[in-house]
């Protein structure tokens, strides 16, 4: 049966010997036990941290005799079939298969996300500075490397994980930012945000004599796919943008074209038939709601997660779920109702029904609009609470958004391990709307929103009548989204939404460097959004493209 709780990053390598497949129940028990024992665990993939389990969530689904692992966070999403696990002290080696592949890989669950000591981290970063200086000097002999450093400057959002400096030739200069291969993948993926801010700082803090041509980013070899995709949608008139990949062993520096986005052809998860699933689970749904205080039942959101699962949420917090499965080793279908999450997830039975009823009542007493702001249940998953508010009422964002067609947490990018889209909607004229939410300050809001915009645009563009011809049914509709609507051939509109005092100051700087082809709107909400949703200010891009065919660098 599936489990769900906070989860973290990942590291994967190819398995070197044949792996004997274990029973899915054995796998699930071992992983759940490890994650319960080590709440600060991390998932490593190819030697790099993919998820910090303190911030991410996971689900183990046991269906059709297989164990499927899904891990997701605000930055990434991963889905793998697990075939075996192997405990080695404070490390759990997890043998997995990507969908459609037959060669196993290895994820490692480690007890702590950073097994390096602070002194080791510092030594690695200092060593990288020397390597980067040497590599840049050799690769750009006509330019002088100046001011490489990793000193922290929190006022300007510069952390020690990134090496920053400049390349100078007379009055001309480039801003340079690099990141070493020992950093987490999420840190590596954040380099473009830091790079844009560094370029802006260089341009605004000088005496005006230097001409800043653009930005050069240096990432570890093989880790630039996401950055390349993002770079493709930067304003080419605002600056020159270059992405370089560095092999730490050979110190070979190779330029990667921004248009080289790798396997962007990610597959969509088909939208479940909402009516059919609700009808199938009608009796189980009635039983779940019977445990909720009668006066509070109208507050419960019932979300169809898949064709085999329904979730029950209170202000965005999932407190119960129904899953379809099979009884034992037979093919007899059965439904399972569970409450809670992770190690505290409890399957409903006649013996514990009253105890669960009391637990649910306490949840509803503490998590409500007028609740105690100091209460952990009130503060928990505030972003999901904001999402639930918008699912019920999109009009404060834009009166032209169609409230009848809103999809939440769309897992559209599984093959590429990207995160789940907060909200996907459509304007009344048929134009798609990508809505990225943050309840707290986030430096990377702009580019995370851009990630989802890129992929939604790509899936909409690829139609059954051909790519970019403006006719036919796009992949979104073939996957069951927006049935019965005629979707516009304009690219999606990007909405970035956060409480007004929680919008990071860097967000507007990043947005100014986006391509005019990206039509965005930044919306600051009243801080009392739990009581009443209200936009207190808006900032918009000044230009918009006329069709999907208008894309930079042939993307």
């Amino acid at each position: 049966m599936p489990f769900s709780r906070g989860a973290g990053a990942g590291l994967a390598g190819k398995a070197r010997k044949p792996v004997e497949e274990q029973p899915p129940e054995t796998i699930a028990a071992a992983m759940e036990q490890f994650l319960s024992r080590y709440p600060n665990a991390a998932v490593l993939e190819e030697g790099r941290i993919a998820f910090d389990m303190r911030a991410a969530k996971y689900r183990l689904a046991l269906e059709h005799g297989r164990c499927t692992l899904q891990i997701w966070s605000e930055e990434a999403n991963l889905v793998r079939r697990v075939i075996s696990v192997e405990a080695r002290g404070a490390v759990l080696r997890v043998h997995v298969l990507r969908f459609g592949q037959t060669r196993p890989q290895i994820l490692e669950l480690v007890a702590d996300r950073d097994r390096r000591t602070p002194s080791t981290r510092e030594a690695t970063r200092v060593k990288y500075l020397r390597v980067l200086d040497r590599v840049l000097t050799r690769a750009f002999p006509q330019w002088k490397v100046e001011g490489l450093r990793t000193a922290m400057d929190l006022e300007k959002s510069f952390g020690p994980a990134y090496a920053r400096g400049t390349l100078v030739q007379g009055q001309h200069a480039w801003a340079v930012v690099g990141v070493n291969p020992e950093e987490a993948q999420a840190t590596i993926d954040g380099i473009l945000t830091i790079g844009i801010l560094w370029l802006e700082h260089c341009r605004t803090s000088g005496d005006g004599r230097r001409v800043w041509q653009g930005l050069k980013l240096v990432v570890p070899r093989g880790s630039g796919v996401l950055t390349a995709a993002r770079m493709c949608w930067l304003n080419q008139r605002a600056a020159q943008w270059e992405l370089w990949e560095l092999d730490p062993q050979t110190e070979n520096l190779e330029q990667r074209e921004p248009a080289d986005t790798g396997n962007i052809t990610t597959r969509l998860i088909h939208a479940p038939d909402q009516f059919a699933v609700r009808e199938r689970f009608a009796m189980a749904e009635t039983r779940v709601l019977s445990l909720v205080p009668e006066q509070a039942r109208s507050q419960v959101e019932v979300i169809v997660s898949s064709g085999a699962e329904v979730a029950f949420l209170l202000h965005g917090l999932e407190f119960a779920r129904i899953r379809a499965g099979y009884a034992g080793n037979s093919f007899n279908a059965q439904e399972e109702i569970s409450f809670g999450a992770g190690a505290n997830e409890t399957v409903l039975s006649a013996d514990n029904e009253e105890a669960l009823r009391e637990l649910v009542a306490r949840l509803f007493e503490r998590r409500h609009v007028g609740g105690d702001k100091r209460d952990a249940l009130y503060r928990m998953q505030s972003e999901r609470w904001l999402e639930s508010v918008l699912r019920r009422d999109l009009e404060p964002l834009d009166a032209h958004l169609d409230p009848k067609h809103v999809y939440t947490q769309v897992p559209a990018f599984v093959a590429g391990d990207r995160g789940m889209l907060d909200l996907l909607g459509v304007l009344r004229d048929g134009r798609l709307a990508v809505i990225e939410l943050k309840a707290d300050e986030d430096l990377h809001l702009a580019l995370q929103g851009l990630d989802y915009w890129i992929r939604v645009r790509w899936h909409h563009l690829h139609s059954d009548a051909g790519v970019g011809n403006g006719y036919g049914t796009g992949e979104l509709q073939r996957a069951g989204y927006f049935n019965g609507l005629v979707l516009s051939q304009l690219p999606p509109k990007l909405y970035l939404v956060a409480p007004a005092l929680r919008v990071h100051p860097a967000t507007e700087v990043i947005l100014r460097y986006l391509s005019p082809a990206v039509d965005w709107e930044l919306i600051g909400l009243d801080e009392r959004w739990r009581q009443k949703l209200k936009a207190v200010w808006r900032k918009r891009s000044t230009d918009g493209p006329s069709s999907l065919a208008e894309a930079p660098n042939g993307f």
Side-chain angles (χ1 to χ4, degrees):
M1 73 186 228
F3 302 85
S4 179
R5 70 174 279 269
L11 163 63
K14 293 180 180 178
R16 297 177 179 270
K17 60 182 180 180
V19 178
E20 183 176 348
E21 190 162 350
Q22 297 172 339
E25 294 80 8
T26 301
I27 295 170
M31 294 186 68
E32 181 66 20
Q33 183 178 13
F34 184 92
L35 291 169
S36 298
R37 183 177 181 183
Y38 300 108
N40 295 326
V43 180
L44 304 181
E45 185 176 33
E46 295 177 353
R48 292 190 294 269
I49 295 175
F51 296 91
D52 182 339
M53 301 302 284
R54 295 172 300 178
K57 295 182 181 180
Y58 75 91
R59 177 174 293 133
L60 289 165
L62 308 187
E63 296 177 358
H64 309 297
R66 295 181 176 183
C67 178
T68 301
L69 168 67
Q70 180 181 15
I71 308 175
W72 69 97
S73 67
E74 299 299 333
E75 294 81 23
N77 182 57
L78 176 148
V79 178
R80 298 287 187 271
R81 178 190 168 196
V82 184
I83 56 177
S84 71
V85 294
E86 178 185 1
R88 294 186 177 182
V91 176
L92 187 68
R93 292 167 63 86
V94 184
H95 298 265
V96 300
L97 290 173
R98 285 176 177 262
F99 290 109
Q101 296 188 2
T102 58
R103 178 178 294 181
Q105 294 179 313
I106 295 174
L107 297 176
E108 286 184 335
L109 293 179
V110 297
D112 190 87
R113 72 180 303 272
D114 195 342
R115 292 177 286 181
R116 300 177 296 169
T117 64
S119 60
T120 301
R121 273 198 307 271
E122 178 64 19
T124 299
R125 291 164 178 172
V126 170
K127 179 182 177 181
Y128 178 74
L129 276 179
R130 295 195 294 267
V131 171
L132 186 60
D133 192 324
R134 187 164 60 243
V135 168
L136 292 174
T137 299
R138 185 169 59 244
F140 307 102
Q142 304 302 317
W143 296 76
K144 181 182 178 182
V145 181
E146 288 189 356
L148 277 181
R149 57 194 181 274
T150 58
M152 184 180 296
D153 187 340
L154 295 180
E155 183 181 352
K156 298 180 177 64
S157 303
F158 300 136
Y162 302 98
R164 58 192 190 278
T166 60
L167 283 173
V168 179
Q169 184 187 71
Q171 292 185 333
H172 295 271
W174 284 81
V176 179
V177 176
V179 62
N180 75 76
E182 297 300 315
E183 304 296 343
Q185 185 61 45
T187 300
I188 295 172
D189 289 341
I191 192 172
L192 185 54
T193 295
I194 301 302
I196 293 173
L197 296 178
W198 177 236
L199 173 61
E200 178 75 2
H201 171 74
C202 291
R203 285 177 163 176
T204 56
S205 63
D207 57 10
R209 296 180 182 179
R210 282 184 176 171
V211 177
W212 293 93
Q213 294 183 208
L215 173 67
K216 295 181 190 287
L217 297 181
V218 182
V219 299
R221 187 183 66 174
S223 64
V225 173
L226 179 63
T227 303
R230 290 172 168 179
M231 258 191 180
C232 187
W233 293 95
L234 297 181
N235 192 330
Q236 305 302 312
R237 295 180 181 179
Q240 297 178 54
W241 311 98
E242 293 186 2
L243 177 62
W244 297 78
E245 292 193 348
L246 174 61
D247 186 325
Q249 303 300 322
T250 65
E251 294 191 2
N252 180 53
L253 192 64
E254 182 177 350
Q255 187 172 6
R256 177 165 189 164
E257 293 300 323
D260 180 13
T261 54
N263 181 25
I264 191 68
T265 55
T266 55
R267 71 182 181 90
L268 283 165
I269 300 299
H270 199 284
D273 185 324
Q274 303 276 329
F275 178 80
V277 175
R278 293 284 298 274
E279 186 176 45
R280 175 185 179 186
F281 290 132
M283 292 182 64
E285 181 178 322
T286 299
R287 189 178 182 194
V288 171
L289 292 177
S290 72
L291 299 182
V292 175
E294 185 174 356
Q295 67 275 16
R297 289 173 190 170
S298 62
Q299 301 174 36
V300 176
E301 278 190 286
V302 182
I303 302 294
V304 176
S305 305
S306 70
E309 182 170 338
V310 171
F312 296 81
L313 285 68
L314 173 63
H315 301 308
L317 179 64
E318 183 177 333
F319 67 91
R321 64 212 55 81
I322 307 168
R323 300 188 184 100
Y326 295 91
N329 296 320
S330 72
F331 290 98
N332 297 324
Q334 68 174 15
E335 294 173 0
E336 177 185 271
I337 300 173
S338 61
F339 288 77
N344 296 318
E345 183 174 26
T346 303
V347 177
L348 177 65
S349 67
D351 294 334
N352 62 20
E353 185 166 336
E354 285 307 311
L356 288 176
R357 188 190 304 275
E358 293 176 7
L359 286 173
V360 170
R362 287 200 292 271
L363 169 65
F364 277 72
E365 287 172 2
R366 296 166 58 186
R367 187 176 176 88
H368 58 88
V369 171
D372 184 350
K373 296 180 180 179
R374 298 167 298 178
D375 192 310
L377 282 176
Y378 178 91
R379 293 184 281 110
M380 190 178 293
Q381 296 188 19
S382 56
E383 193 167 300
R384 298 283 76 84
W385 191 330
L386 175 57
E387 180 185 302
S388 72
V389 171
L390 286 169
R391 275 197 298 267
R392 293 173 182 248
D393 185 13
L394 286 172
E395 187 172 355
L397 292 190
D398 190 332
H400 296 96
L401 285 165
D402 185 349
K404 297 179 182 178
H405 296 89
V406 184
Y407 298 92
T408 179
Q409 295 289 293
V410 178
F413 322 122
V414 172
D417 292 345
R418 290 309 306 143
M420 297 170 69
L421 179 64
D422 285 339
L423 292 173
L424 177 61
V426 64
L427 295 163
R428 297 184 191 277
D429 63 1
R431 187 181 185 186
L432 292 173
V434 176
I435 305 171
E436 174 69 359
L437 310 174
K438 295 294 178 187
D440 296 302
E441 194 172 275
D442 193 317
L443 177 66
H444 302 288
L445 168 62
L447 293 188
Q448 286 176 4
L450 178 65
D451 290 341
Y452 306 135
W453 182 92
I454 291 170
R455 285 156 178 77
V456 169
R457 177 192 176 278
W458 192 93
H459 285 292
H460 181 43
L461 178 64
H462 284 65
S463 70
D464 55 10
V467 178
N469 59 10
Y471 299 96
T473 303
E475 287 190 353
L476 282 166
Q477 290 186 299
R478 294 205 304 277
Y481 299 92
F482 306 108
N483 286 333
L485 296 184
V486 177
L487 296 181
S488 168
Q489 288 303 303
L490 287 171
K493 182 170 182 178
L494 174 61
Y495 294 85
L496 303 170
V497 184
L501 299 181
R502 303 292 194 275
V503 177
H504 196 286
T507 301
E508 291 184 57
V509 176
I510 305 301
L511 289 172
R512 289 202 301 269
Y513 280 94
L514 294 188
S515 165
V518 182
D519 185 9
W520 55 264
E521 185 168 339
L522 177 64
I523 302 174
L525 301 177
D526 188 295
E527 294 292 320
R528 296 160 294 184
W529 53 265
R530 287 179 175 87
Q531 285 78 26
K532 183 178 180 181
L533 195 67
K534 179 182 179 182
V536 294
W537 55 257
R538 300 171 184 269
K539 299 189 178 180
R540 301 179 175 91
S541 57
T542 56
D543 300 306
S546 59
S547 74
L548 280 169
E550 296 183 19
N553 299 330
F555 182 80

